[in-house]
Amino acid sequence: DLHIGIDFNIDPVSAVVAKKVGNRLHIIDEIKIFGSNTDELVQEIRTRYPTETITCYPDPAGAQRKTSAGGRTDHTILRNAGFRVQVPHGHNAVRDGINAVNAKLRSSSGETTLYIAPHCKYVIECLEKHTYKEGTSIPDKDSGFDHMNDALRYMVDYLFPIRQPVAEMPIQ
């Protein structure tokens, strides 16, 4: 089974392809298509991986209908292609997602459970050049290095969230 984090954009549509082994995530491929759309992304995924079972972790905003897509949503396009779509009902805090990725890269105990194939050069470059707006913890969206990071973040934050669900305790 393949796991694919997706950030919907026109320039570029970005996707991170991974295999999950226990609590480890191995990034094995990257897809970056300029001037594109979700239909073309689906076509590229199917060209590269025609027989694999695909689970996608897209931007939660992809549930919104777009007139340019004939009323379809990015999520329905993925589902209609036979992909399983896993997405929270709304956006999680960006900071939590970034922390989830950082914890996979190296946890507080020093353990690494996120591995990136050397040929995934754009994923590596984006992680290395990720910056924040000066004096804030808000990612810099003007740098151009945020889309692939967002794709990775959506997947990691869904599979390995920092904030775990808390069971409600009855009031006594």
Side-chain angles (χ1 to χ4, degrees):
D1 291 357
L2 292 179
H3 299 270
I4 303 179
I6 300 171
D7 187 37
F8 303 113
N9 288 293
I10 295 172
D11 283 319
V13 170
S14 301
V16 177
V17 182
K19 289 206 175 248
K20 183 176 175 286
V21 182
N23 76 332
R24 294 185 312 272
L25 198 60
H26 299 265
I27 306 302
I28 61 166
D29 200 2
E30 61 189 14
I31 301 171
K32 176 175 69 165
I33 311 171
F34 287 91
S36 190
N37 57 50
T38 307
D39 290 306
E40 289 181 2
L41 175 63
V42 165
Q43 185 178 9
E44 181 62 24
I45 292 169
R46 278 294 169 217
T47 298
R48 293 184 189 196
Y49 305 103
T51 60
E52 281 83 351
T53 300
I54 308 281
T55 301
C56 296
Y57 306 87
D59 182 345
Q64 299 170 355
R65 287 192 193 146
K66 297 189 172 126
T67 55
S68 62
R72 300 177 301 155
T73 70
D74 291 316
H75 293 177
T76 58
I77 292 168
L78 295 171
R79 284 188 183 98
N80 289 342
F83 302 158
R84 186 171 173 222
V85 176
Q86 298 292 303
V87 63
H89 292 292
H91 282 91
N92 292 336
V94 172
R95 188 85 198 106
D96 290 342
I98 292 170
N99 286 338
V101 171
N102 286 340
K104 297 305 283 177
L105 289 167
R106 181 167 298 160
S107 70
S108 59
S109 65
E111 182 182 19
T112 297
T113 54
L114 175 63
Y115 306 93
I116 303 167
H119 65 269
C120 296
K121 294 183 185 312
Y122 192 63
V123 172
I124 295 167
E125 180 181 20
C126 288
L127 287 169
E128 289 176 345
K129 294 184 177 178
H130 182 253
T131 59
Y132 296 93
K133 291 183 179 183
E134 189 173 337
T136 75
S137 60
I138 299 168
D140 180 5
K141 296 287 189 180
D142 296 329
S143 69
F145 296 109
D146 58 307
H147 301 304
M148 199 63 79
N149 286 340
D150 287 344
L152 178 60
R153 177 173 54 89
Y154 298 138
M155 178 171 49
V156 171
D157 193 33
Y158 192 93
L159 291 170
F160 308 100
I162 290 293
R163 291 188 187 251
Q164 300 295 323
V166 178
E168 291 187 26
M169 299 296 290
I171 298 175
Q172 298 189 22

